[in-house]
Amino acid sequence: MQEKISVIIPVYNVEKYINKCLDSILNQTYKNIEIILVNDGSIDKSGLICDEYAKGYNNIKVFHKDNGGVSSARNLGIDNASGEYLAFVDPDDYIDKKMYEKLYNSMKQDNSEIAISSFSYIKNGKEEPQDISNKKIIYSKGEAIESYFNNTYPFNYSFLCNKLFKKDLFDGVRLNTKIIVQEDTEVMIKIYGKSKRISYIGQPLYFYELRSGSATNNKISRGKITTEQAFLEIYNYTKENLPQFNSLALLKYISYFFNIVIEIIKNYDEYEDDYYILIDKLILTYKEIINDKQIPLKYKIHSSLLLFSPKLYKFYMKKNLKIKGKK
């Protein structure tokens, strides 16, 4: 008998999309699938649609909870999954009918703990595939982690949804509910850190709908500001558990840190408090930034100037970026 795959779907106000998503999973050629729907406090008909599907299919479980965000919904799904494998699908996306058959077979053939497929962005109804090479590649743990930190394909896309995992990789690991954006990226370093081999298939088997107003499309928000916390958590985890990648993790953190600082400066009137909160947090890693020989000089200079005089740094960057507004 086939081993069971538990597919976890966090659901929040997606009544227009959830049917297509669920149908694509129910029509999989891999049949031993458990679908776990976590209704995260939807105020539209999403919860009712989930319940209707559960009445018609005995492999669908529905959990209703107060709104707590995608991470808390996924964590509840993981807690209640009975499969030997875990997969994640967002409720406004859909998948190829052979996705889990191909990923599962790849894991078995390669003796890997994770399988990754290529995917397609869907923009205005048009597919934008990221890789159609049809290549099959096996990565070691070290190769995967180095590519993850260097933003090298396919590990530069660190979301959970185009992957299949052995469930035991999540033993003792859950998503951080305090992180709103990049929550996938934060948990993936822990999952890669527990793996030995990762399989990759160069076929777009996951279809990622890009909608205006989604968390990934907003330019700057307090949610996106938590990206800094995500990469600080990644750095702290790496320093403790994967010290050979310490410099790469610190570089990833500081580069994202200054990306956020620049966006805040561009929108300073609304995010002044966040600017000074981030400066206080920079103190935590400043000595490591200065002392690490792998950190480019520009980040050491920017860090020093920002801590020495936040107002001067803001003035300098506004002038450099030709931004009008408060000084």
Side-chain angles (χ1 to χ4, degrees), residues 59-258:
N59 64 330
I60 295 180
K61 298 178 182 177
V62 180
F63 297 89
H64 297 277
K65 61 185 286 295
D66 293 337
N67 181 253
V70 64
S71 292
S72 68
R74 284 173 172 166
N75 287 342
L76 181 60
I78 296 168
D79 292 341
N80 288 278
S82 63
E84 292 82 10
Y85 294 81
L86 289 183
F88 300 84
V89 177
D90 283 344
D92 49 355
D93 300 336
Y94 56 96
I95 61 177
D96 184 277
K97 67 180 182 179
K98 292 186 176 181
M99 178 171 177
Y100 293 131
E101 178 186 353
K102 290 183 176 182
L103 292 181
Y104 176 83
N105 288 341
S106 183
M107 291 175 73
K108 285 298 184 182
Q109 292 165 9
D110 304 336
N111 192 28
S112 57
E113 297 90 2
I114 304 170
I116 304 172
S117 77
S118 175
F119 66 96
S120 288
Y121 283 124
I122 308 299
K123 294 182 180 179
N124 300 318
K126 295 182 179 180
E127 293 184 16
E128 296 184 4
Q130 301 304 294
D131 180 16
I132 55 173
S133 66
N134 208 34
K135 289 181 180 177
K136 288 193 70 178
I137 304 172
I138 303 171
Y139 294 92
S140 68
K141 168 182 174 176
E143 290 171 332
I145 292 174
E146 187 170 348
S147 296
Y148 164 92
F149 282 123
N150 288 326
N151 292 323
T152 305
Y153 187 87
F155 299 97
N156 55 329
Y157 296 106
S158 292
F159 38 76
L160 293 165
C161 292
N162 63 328
K163 300 172 177 68
L164 182 63
F165 305 90
K166 281 193 173 180
K167 185 185 177 183
D168 58 13
L169 292 175
F170 284 84
D171 289 349
V173 175
R174 292 295 184 269
L175 287 91
N176 188 332
T177 57
K178 294 180 181 179
I179 298 171
I180 301 171
V181 179
Q182 297 285 359
E183 71 282 352
D184 292 22
T185 305
E186 190 269 342
V187 80
M188 279 308 304
I189 186 58
K190 300 174 183 177
I191 299 303
Y192 288 140
K194 295 179 71 175
S195 68
K196 295 178 182 178
R197 292 159 67 89
I198 297 96
S199 303
Y200 171 72
I201 302 173
Q203 297 177 24
L205 303 177
Y206 189 92
F207 300 92
Y208 188 112
E209 291 272 8
L210 288 178
R211 296 188 288 128
S212 60
S214 69
T216 51
N217 284 325
N218 292 332
K219 193 170 186 181
I220 186 68
S221 66
R222 288 204 165 78
K224 277 210 167 181
I225 290 170
T226 67
T227 303
E228 177 273 337
Q229 184 61 35
F231 286 100
L232 181 58
E233 294 287 346
I234 289 166
Y235 171 60
N236 289 333
Y237 175 84
T238 304
K239 183 169 59 173
E240 182 71 24
N241 298 281
L242 302 163
Q244 66 271 39
F245 299 103
N246 188 66
S247 293
L248 288 174
L250 182 57
L251 178 58
K252 194 176 184 81
Y253 167 66
I254 199 63
S255 63
Y256 273 87
F257 177 92
F258 278 103

Side-chain angles (χ1 to χ4, degrees), residues 5-61:
I5 296 173
S6 297
V7 182
I8 297 167
I9 308 173
V11 177
Y12 180 71
N13 291 351
V14 285
E15 61 181 11
K16 295 180 181 178
Y17 311 97
I18 187 67
N19 296 79
K20 184 175 183 178
C21 173
L22 286 173
D23 291 344
S24 73
I25 300 170
L26 289 166
N27 291 326
Q28 289 292 293
T29 54
Y30 191 97
K31 294 304 180 183
N32 193 10
I33 289 178
E34 167 186 70
I35 300 174
I36 300 177
L37 296 165
V38 182
N39 176 33
D40 189 37
S42 297
I43 57 175
D44 66 358
K45 295 180 181 179
S46 297
L48 293 174
I49 294 171
C50 291
D51 289 336
E52 285 300 313
Y53 268 88
K55 290 177 184 177
Y57 298 91
N58 59 14
N59 64 330
I60 295 180
K61 298 178 182 177

Side-chain angles (χ1 to χ4, degrees), residues 276-290:
Y276 286 97
I277 289 170
L278 283 180
I279 291 169
D280 288 340
K281 293 183 73 173
L282 180 61
I283 297 170
L284 300 174
T285 54
Y286 177 68
K287 287 184 179 179
E288 292 159 280
I289 292 165
I290 295 301

